[in-house]
Amino acid sequence: MWLINTSNLKLEYVEHLGNFGYAVLSHTWRGDSEPSHQDFKFQSSTGDIAHERFAKIRKTCELASEQRIPYAWVDTCCIDKTSSAELTEAINSMFKWYQEAAVCYVYLSDLEEDDGRDIHDVLKLTKYKWFRRGWTLQELIASRHIQFYDRSWKRRGDKASLRQTLYAITKIDEEVLADSSLLPTIPVARRMSWAAKRQTTREEDLAYCLFGIFNVHLPLIYGEGTRAFIRLQEAIAQDNNDLSLFAWTAHDERFVGLKYRGLMAESPREFKRCSHIKSALGPAWQNDEYTITNKGIRLTATVIESEIDGMKDYLLGLQCYDGRNQLASGQHNPVFIRLVRTPTGYARHAAGLALVSPDGMASTKPLSLYVAKSISERESRTLESNLSQPFQLTLVKSLPDAYGAEFYHACPHHLWDKRSWSFMTDGSKHFTGVLRLCLWGALKQKSRMHFSNYCKCALKPKVGEEPAPPGSLVFYNDTHEWHWPHFFILLGLHDGGGSSHRPWLSVHDTSSEDGKTISTLLSHQQNRGIGVVMESIRAIYLPRRIMTWEETFTPRKEKRAHVQPGATKTDEKSSKDIMSEFGMHVRVQVMAEGDGQHPRYRLEVSVKSTGEWKVLE
């Protein structure tokens, strides 16, 4: 660390600061007119630093000498910016250097000489450059003792006496202004908000000037642009699981109109509405975990189902609240952000915040989510187009009690959103999906007919998928069993020759040869990958595509291999007659909706009863 000896105005390099008392200067630069390390080193060696360019350095050393401080540090000349290693060390150490300084002199070059007005009023009424610069933020927070000087170098106040005024201008908590060691107790979003209205000459410096405030140490890569702020957020996330890091709102005109974003902000400006964010965590709360992966940000958190613009989405709680919005009960509305399912995980939906009443919060189980870290403007537009082309499923049932029909085992699983009952096609003409439709039902009986939930499932669930479907309720007597059928419904898109794609359909009983072929192919997911499996199914059944399929079913009779425990003798003829009198009519159809630019696809399945529902005496 280079220091200026205040007695002879010479630069000296020191390894350890513990043995040296030094003062620091905090100021705003005047472009290229500030003396560099090389300039000052050369001029001080000749004893010629009378030029106006060196005025702030001379005055800093003069004040330090008067206060019996042997050394001074000025950022313009005490950092050799021609050395990338020294510049990186300086920026990563600057917060500490200001913390350990004996005093910090703040020079307000645009503060006029004392005209008799109260300094508190003067500072509040005028937007001085020093309060708008990025680098001066950490200098204000880190320095224990600050003396403020006007343009004529007349002292106008100190940090302790002006603390309330400084809070009014900067919104930095007074406790933090008094003791910078309290910084970790302040939510990340609120700390970010302090820099929301500040500016730097270099875009990257908007991130670099915040290193000390978040106790982050990173290499400098000038030229990386907004990537610097992403790296800062990644570094914060590695050591801090404060979800308020994601409590920003879109600010830049380029992003306000984007429907989808990643979890990370583009700049501190997007935190300008977070100055009142407070942590909702108490002794009974558990902090949700999140980590940075190459698939995005993985969160283990609870979500609440929601809907916006007619589209299903999810609310992710950030474990914080806005201190300004207190309810009559004394509680606060927790802050949430909206997420939407995508083919690769989740993305942020609408870059705003949602406040949810504690009374309206539905309890949900913790989920493991992968959310995109950052989404470019082009990626957002593409995602918006692709997500606007779902394959929506509808199941209409007109059945008596104890009978039912449900979808199970949607594949590919990562494209299926069970909450909105839709597949994400990603706008691809190669999309192919598989569903299993299960039918079941039981005769209302008084004593003689026995039934159970026995079923051999042709498709076993994979880890992370839905549980196995309920079996076709099996009716049996001494010699036979009756089963309701299960079906594979294949659906997809193909090139229709126009601007949009056309849907197709194929339906197969799971016990048929085609059903067994499909079941075998699906069992190869783990070894061959779901993409290869879907392409194989598509190659076989796309040529046999249809748009509508319907059929009426009664339970299938099979000879029993052994007697079920607890079975009772039943007259086979009467059982068979009654079972054949009741059936289910299934109709499946696919259709395209919307226009060529915004197509949507729909699979409609209707199941209704046929015949008379009887009671077996």
Side-chain angles (χ1 to χ4, degrees):
M1 178 184 185
W2 291 98
L3 293 174
I4 306 171
N5 189 314
T6 57
S7 61
N8 59 20
L9 301 185
K10 303 288 186 182
L11 280 170
E12 298 180 13
Y13 190 82
V14 298
E15 291 286 351
H16 304 289
L17 298 178
N19 300 325
F20 299 89
Y22 61 94
V24 294
L25 173 66
S26 179
H27 63 119
T28 55
W29 287 30
R30 296 173 299 182
D32 296 333
S33 63
E34 300 288 350
S36 67
H37 177 78
Q38 288 73 21
D39 292 337
F40 184 77
K41 200 170 189 178
F42 175 77
Q43 294 298 126
S44 63
S45 66
T46 63
D48 182 17
I49 56 171
H51 193 277
E52 178 62 22
R53 294 177 64 201
F54 301 96
K56 285 188 286 186
I57 300 174
R58 291 198 309 270
K59 191 61 181 178
T60 298
C61 292
E62 179 183 324
L63 289 172
S65 182
E66 290 174 357
Q67 296 174 18
R68 297 184 180 181
I69 301 174
Y71 290 94
W73 185 87
V74 181
D75 56 358
T76 54
C77 62
C78 291
I79 302 174
D80 183 2
K81 299 176 185 63
T82 63
S83 168
S84 59
E86 184 170 327
L87 179 62
T88 298
E89 179 188 5
I91 288 180
N92 278 276
S93 305
M94 203 172 293
F95 191 89
K96 178 184 176 183
W97 291 350
Y98 275 87
Q99 271 186 321
E100 296 183 350
V103 65
C104 173
Y105 305 130
V106 172
Y107 178 61
L108 303 176
S109 59
D110 47 355
L111 175 59
E112 300 293 339
E113 297 181 23
D114 190 358
D115 59 2
R117 290 185 296 165
D118 187 276
I119 186 61
H120 297 81
D121 295 333
V122 173
L123 291 177
K124 288 179 183 178
L125 293 175
T126 307
K127 295 182 178 179
Y128 295 100
K129 290 189 295 183
W130 189 83
F131 291 104
R132 303 197 304 270
R133 300 302 294 172
W135 289 106
T136 57
L137 174 62
Q138 67 171 354
E139 296 164 8
L140 171 61
I141 294 173
S143 303
R144 292 173 298 164
H145 306 289
I146 296 180
Q147 298 170 6
F148 291 89
Y149 292 85
D150 61 24
R151 65 188 306 172
S152 63
W153 286 96
K154 181 178 179 181
R155 183 170 171 177
R156 303 293 295 275
D158 56 45
K159 186 176 183 179
S161 63
L162 294 173
R163 192 175 300 152
Q164 290 185 346
T165 301
L166 294 173
Y167 165 74
I169 297 171
T170 65
K171 302 305 178 187
I172 302 172
D173 301 62
E174 290 187 50
E175 295 82 0
V176 174
L177 291 172
D179 182 2
S180 62
S181 68
L182 296 177
L183 272 172
T185 67
I186 306 299
V188 169
R190 193 153 96 238
R191 280 183 270 173
M192 284 289 189
S193 73
W194 301 336
K197 297 181 180 179
R198 292 181 177 256
Q199 302 171 345
T200 57
T201 303
R202 300 289 297 269
E203 186 176 28
E204 297 85 356
D205 285 340
L206 270 175
Y208 301 162
C209 71
L210 300 176
F211 283 3
I213 292 174
F214 294 100
N215 193 27
V216 164
H217 299 87
L218 293 171
L220 309 185
I221 311 175
Y222 281 104
E224 65 177 328
T226 57
R227 170 65 186 157
F229 192 62
I230 296 294
R231 284 201 300 127
L232 171 63
Q233 293 171 88
E234 290 175 345
I236 293 171
Q238 288 177 359
D239 293 325
N240 194 327
N241 62 347
D242 181 357
L243 293 177
S244 77
L245 175 62
F246 311 128
W248 52 270
T249 55
H251 169 73
D252 194 302
E253 290 183 359
R254 293 181 303 154
F255 303 114
V256 169
L258 293 183
K259 198 167 185 177
Y260 303 110
R261 293 278 302 273
L263 268 186
M264 291 189 169
E266 290 292 321
S267 79
R269 288 186 289 273
E270 297 196 302
F271 288 89
K272 69 176 184 178
R273 298 178 182 173
C274 296
S275 58
H276 296 277
I277 289 292
K278 296 184 178 181
S279 174
L281 294 178
W285 286 69
Q286 286 187 330
N287 229 353
D288 289 336
E289 173 192 10
Y290 67 91
T291 54
I292 309 294
T293 75
N294 58 5
K295 192 178 176 180
I297 298 175
R298 186 185 63 176
L299 297 125
T300 301
T302 56
V303 295
I304 298 174
E305 296 179 30
S306 177
E307 186 172 328
I308 183 172
D309 298 331
M311 187 174 185
K312 295 283 187 181
D313 65 3
Y314 311 88
L315 293 175
L316 172 67
L318 301 184
Q319 299 178 345
C320 61
Y321 63 91
D322 190 322
R324 295 169 297 182
N325 300 318
Q326 187 171 11
L327 304 176
S329 62
Q331 293 180 291
H332 293 82
N333 289 330
V335 172
F336 289 78
I337 58 174
R338 296 183 180 276
L339 301 179
V340 64
R341 273 288 306 273
T342 72
T344 57
Y346 290 80
R348 185 164 176 176
H349 184 194
L353 300 180
L355 301 180
V356 179
S357 170
D359 297 332
M361 292 173 57
S363 59
T364 58
K365 294 180 180 180
L367 301 175
S368 182
L369 313 173
Y370 285 91
V371 189
K373 181 174 58 179
S374 180
I375 295 177
S376 68
E377 182 177 357
R378 182 176 180 179
E379 289 171 333
S380 180
R381 304 289 186 197
T382 301
L383 187 59
E384 181 177 358
S385 174
N386 291 346
L387 289 182
S388 67
Q389 303 178 47
F391 216 126
Q392 190 74 42
L393 274 59
T394 304
L395 177 58
V396 180
K397 295 175 284 189
S398 180
L399 298 169
D401 294 340
Y403 286 81
E406 285 298 343
F407 293 129
Y408 288 91
H409 300 306
C411 296
H413 184 67
H414 69 283
L415 296 180
W416 171 248
D417 188 350
K418 64 181 180 181
R419 290 177 177 84
S420 63
W421 266 38
S422 64
F423 277 108
M424 293 170 282
T425 69
D426 214 20
S428 171
K429 65 181 180 181
H430 299 290
F431 166 75
T432 304
V434 179
L435 285 165
R436 185 169 177 173
L437 176 66
C438 299
L439 307 179
W440 68 87
L443 281 175
K444 180 184 278 189
Q445 43 85 38
K446 291 186 175 179
S447 61
R448 297 170 65 192
M449 179 65 77
H450 186 85
F451 61 91
S452 72
N453 261 331
Y454 171 78
C455 177
K456 296 179 180 178
C457 294
L459 182 62
K460 294 182 179 180
K462 302 297 181 183
V463 175
E465 293 187 359
E466 300 171 9
S472 306
L473 284 171
V474 179
F475 303 81
Y476 58 85
N477 59 18
D478 289 9
T479 59
H480 290 86
E481 297 175 345
W482 287 266
H483 300 256
W484 288 105
H486 292 185
F487 304 94
F488 283 122
I489 298 179
L490 313 182
L491 66 158
L493 301 176
H494 68 100
D495 191 350
S499 59
S500 60
H501 311 314
R502 291 184 180 178
W504 62 272
L505 168 72
S506 189
V507 182
H508 304 278
D509 190 317
T510 57
S511 63
S512 68
E513 289 303 316
D514 283 318
K516 293 174 182 177
T517 299
I518 296 168
S519 182
T520 300
L521 288 171
L522 290 172
S523 68
H524 294 159
Q525 290 182 54
Q526 190 168 2
N527 297 328
R528 299 173 60 187
I530 187 63
V532 173
V533 169
M534 289 295 108
E535 283 301 313
S536 299
I537 292 175
R538 180 185 182 87
I540 297 172
Y541 295 100
L542 178 60
R544 297 156 58 180
R545 63 185 179 271
I546 56 176
M547 295 291 287
T548 304
W549 176 91
E550 59 184 315
E551 196 166 331
T552 300
F553 300 94
T554 56
R556 182 171 56 243
K557 178 183 175 183
E558 295 181 3
K559 192 169 183 178
R560 297 185 64 188
H562 60 278
V563 177
Q564 295 275 359
T568 58
K569 289 186 177 181
T570 306
D571 179 69
E572 181 179 337
K573 184 176 185 302
S574 62
S575 301
K576 179 181 178 182
D577 291 342
I578 291 176
M579 293 300 293
S580 62
E581 289 176 1
F582 182 81
M584 297 190 199
H585 181 78
V586 181
R587 188 175 192 273
V588 185
Q589 63 177 340
V590 289
M591 62 196 77
E593 302 174 336
D595 54 38
Q597 292 184 340
H598 303 91
R600 298 173 69 91
Y601 309 97
R602 182 176 296 278
L603 171 78
E604 286 190 354
V605 178
S606 62
V607 183
K608 62 181 181 179
S609 59
T610 62
E612 183 181 356
W613 186 37
K614 291 190 175 183
V615 176
L616 180 63
E617 297 294 340

